[in-house]
Amino acid sequence: MTTLFHLCAHSVVQLHSLDFSFRLQLSKTYPALIKPSSLCVYRINMQRNKQVAMGRKKFNMDPKKGIQFLIENELLKNTCEDIAQFLYKGEGLNKTAIGDYLGERDEFNIQVLHAFVELHEFTDLNLVQALRQFLWSFRLPGEAQKIDRMMEAFAQRYCQCNPGVFQSTDTCYVLSFAIIMLNTSLHNPNVKDKPSAERFICMNRGINDGGDLPEDLLRNLYESIKNEPFKIPEDDGNDLTHTFFNPDREGWLLKLGGRVKTWKRRWFILTDNCLYYFEYTTDKEPRGIIPLENLSIREVDDSKKPNCFELFIPDNKDQVIKACKTEADGRVVEGNHTFYRISAPTTEEKEEWIKSIKAAISRDPFYEMLAARKKKASSLKRQ
């Protein structure tokens, strides 16, 4: 027993890695070996680690609530710099959730976005290399306005790190999008007409404040993407990149059940004339799919929820909408809604969702936004 005591005393520094129950028993047998203060610190550290893990889990399900939890428990400072560091390290965080938080338009979130981008070092990297680094640190959200803010921040940071490469941030912004779309065109198996280097060069003429970028630069960027596609974070093997990479709109909404009239919070994605909804942003597959073909949308009043709108079949109110959902046991079944009633968090978001759904069939706001920026970059005169 004396030998054991001396051996343990000699290795006291290693006791911090022992199981807590064993440490507690050891403290009863050899009270001089482990001080009460050591056990207290151990308990505090264990509790802190549990709270951090809980905060990460909350963040992955709802980024704002996760950040709020970590701040309230003094695990994170309420500063844009500290939150940006937390997201940049990304330990245990879902990259879709990181992108969702960074893309929000609240002033504080925008400050966090800029602090996050400042943590990236792009000096002496070509644009493709910088994009590879940037797009791997989170998953780019699908909503056009979120993409706009994030890519604008990227372009500003790249030009700050590499002065003189482009005449303006607009040039960097437009070329960055051209590269992202080139990546999709070259490596998405659904795209049959693969662009050549010559077409890529031609498409980007006049974007450098009205002038052309060096052909060698564009050709090198093309070859880099052709030889190695972007690695898009897919979070636990979710292979829905091509389906949901660029939706028209996405966000949290409340949905009224079909047979059982209860409200449930769901993550909605609008893309390809369909409305998908998920239980969490991290889910690999949607809980339901609502094809928008032959449907109409209208604002409605509801006694229990504000900011409501409905999807319905015009002139046929009793007909069941053709849709599908996934049951708890994994079975895919037909939906039983004659209408889908949905509640948005605010009046403004309700109006934006209605506008996006109405426009989904006829146009894509992402490409309209990009076309406007390209027109601006091409029309500027070189100083």
Side-chain angles (χ1 to χ4, degrees), residues 16-17 157 167 172 211 218-219 368:
H16 292 284
S17 63
R157 176 60 176 166
Q167 292 293 322
C172 182
L218 295 175
R219 194 174 295 276
E368 286 195 352

Side-chain angles (χ1 to χ4, degrees), residues 294-296 298 312-319:
N294 300 323
L295 297 186
S296 292
R298 64 191 171 198
F312 67 100
I313 300 175
D315 304 322
N316 209 335
K317 65 179 183 178
D318 296 325
Q319 183 178 340

Side-chain angles (χ1 to χ4, degrees), residues 272-275 289-295 311 321-324:
D272 293 334
N273 301 334
C274 286
L275 198 57
I289 304 172
I290 309 169
L292 298 177
E293 186 178 4
N294 300 323
L295 297 186
L311 294 168
I321 294 174
K322 292 181 180 179
C324 65

Side-chain angles (χ1 to χ4, degrees), residues 58-216:
K58 287 179 178 291
F59 178 88
N60 290 339
M61 292 189 292
D62 188 323
K64 283 193 173 181
K65 288 184 178 180
I67 293 293
Q68 183 180 355
F69 174 86
L70 291 166
I71 291 172
E72 289 175 351
N73 287 275
E74 299 182 350
L75 301 168
L76 199 61
K77 294 178 183 177
N78 191 18
T79 66
C80 55
E81 292 80 12
D82 208 47
I83 295 173
Q85 280 279 1
F86 172 71
L87 301 179
Y88 183 75
K89 290 178 181 177
E91 185 178 348
L93 302 183
N94 178 279
K95 292 191 177 184
T96 298
I98 295 173
D100 183 41
Y101 184 85
L102 291 173
E104 291 293 332
R105 64 180 173 187
D106 292 348
E107 183 59 35
F108 185 76
N109 290 67
I110 292 173
Q111 292 176 11
V112 173
L113 168 62
H114 284 277
F116 177 86
V117 175
E118 287 289 324
L119 295 172
H120 288 269
E121 182 52 65
F122 299 138
T123 303
D124 295 330
L125 298 182
N126 69 36
L127 192 57
V128 168
Q129 292 170 329
L131 281 169
R132 290 191 197 282
Q133 181 189 134
F134 186 59
L135 296 177
W136 184 248
S137 61
F138 64 96
R139 192 171 185 183
L140 197 66
E143 188 180 334
Q145 292 179 345
K146 290 183 179 182
I147 295 174
D148 180 48
R149 284 190 290 273
M150 299 173 85
M151 295 306 295
E152 177 69 30
F154 166 80
Q156 290 174 358
R157 176 60 176 166
Y158 185 84
C159 291
Q160 180 187 43
C161 291
N162 299 278
V165 173
F166 301 113
Q167 292 293 322
S168 69
T169 56
D170 283 326
T171 302
C172 182
Y173 175 102
V174 171
L175 185 57
S176 297
F177 269 120
I179 291 170
I180 291 173
M181 290 188 288
L182 174 68
N183 180 80
T184 302
S185 298
L186 289 178
H187 299 290
N188 186 336
N190 295 323
V191 178
K192 304 302 180 185
D193 184 19
K194 306 296 184 184
S196 63
E198 285 67 28
R199 194 202 303 180
F200 178 70
I201 292 168
C202 184
M203 287 170 57
N204 289 288
R205 292 197 187 284
I207 67 170
N208 198 25
D209 281 10
D212 292 343
L213 291 165
E215 187 171 314
D216 287 346

